[in-house]
Amino acid sequence: MAHPLLEIDHLRVDFPEVVAVDDLSLEVHAGDICGLIGPKGAGKTTTLRAASGLQACTHGSTRILGFELAREPDEFKRHLGFVPDYTPVYDRLTAAEYLDHFARAYGVANRAGRIEECVDWLGLGDQRNVLCERMSRGIKQRLVLAKTLLPDPEALLLDEPAS
C-alpha cells in the first residue's frame, strides 16, 4: 500500500503563552488539495511551518511519502516545497540570477532547462532580467513559487496562496 503524500499525526505546537496547534492529525493523498481555514491566530501558519520543519513541534510527527521529518530530515525535505506568505527574494538579483542561485543550491539537473520550464509555466518570461527589488508583490510571489518548483517536489505547502 502506498504511503499518503502528507501525514500529520497528533501535531501539537506550544508557545509560552498559548497552544497554537492542539492534536492535529490528517492525511493528504497524491492529487488531493487540502486547505486550512480559520480566523487569524487559529494556527494555520504554525501548522504549515511545523509540518515543513521550519517550526519545532511540541509533540507529534510529520511524514512526506513515509519519510518522517524527525528521523529522515534530508529525504523528507527533498520531497517537499514550501511557499511562505511573505516573499523572501534577494532584491539585488534579477529573476534569472535568483532562480539560478537556487537551482544550483538544490542541485537541479539541467538547470537552464528547468528554470525555463518554471519561468514559462508561471508567466515570468518578461521578468528574467528585472531586479527583484523592482517587482510587484504578485510577481515576487510567482518568482518564489518558481524557485520552490525547481527541484520538482512531490508535495507543496502554500501559506496564504490567495494573498
Side-chain angles (χ1 to χ4, degrees):
M1 184 169 143
H3 293 283
L5 185 60
L6 169 67
E7 297 173 83
I8 297 175
D9 190 34
H10 298 288
L11 183 69
R12 181 179 174 102
V13 180
D14 294 336
F15 291 113
E17 303 280 327
V18 68
V19 175
V21 181
D22 188 13
D23 196 32
L24 174 67
S25 295
L26 63 86
E27 287 186 2
V28 180
H29 296 268
D32 288 351
I33 296 174
C34 176
L36 301 177
I37 299 171
K40 185 174 181 172
K44 301 175 300 291
T45 293
T46 300
T47 296
L48 293 177
R49 290 179 51 79
S52 64
L54 295 173
Q55 169 71 50
C57 63
T58 307
H59 178 76
S61 63
T62 305
R63 288 177 291 284
I64 297 286
L65 296 170
F67 298 105
E68 188 171 345
L69 174 60
R71 293 192 178 123
E72 304 161 285
D74 292 340
E75 197 61 35
F76 176 95
K77 290 176 183 175
R78 192 169 289 122
H79 298 283
L80 176 69
F82 178 72
V83 179
D85 68 341
Y86 61 92
T87 51
V89 297
Y90 301 132
D91 284 342
R92 304 306 278 163
L93 296 180
T94 65
E97 292 167 336
Y98 177 81
L99 292 173
D100 188 62
H101 170 76
F102 280 97
R104 287 174 189 269
Y106 294 147
V108 172
N110 184 18
R111 278 192 335 267
R114 184 65 184 147
I115 289 169
E116 271 311 300
E117 285 176 23
C118 292
V119 163
D120 289 346
W121 191 59
L122 292 166
L124 293 168
D126 61 342
Q127 300 295 312
R128 273 189 195 86
N129 298 313
V130 175
L131 286 174
C132 292
E133 70 182 357
R134 295 194 175 148
M135 295 176 181
S136 70
R137 181 169 191 242
I139 295 296
K140 287 179 182 179
Q141 286 175 310
R142 281 198 265 162
L143 182 61
V144 171
L145 180 56
K147 182 261 307 180
T148 304
L149 293 172
L150 285 170
D152 199 20
E154 284 87 354
L156 284 174
L157 297 179
L158 309 173
D159 193 7
E160 299 290 349
S163 71

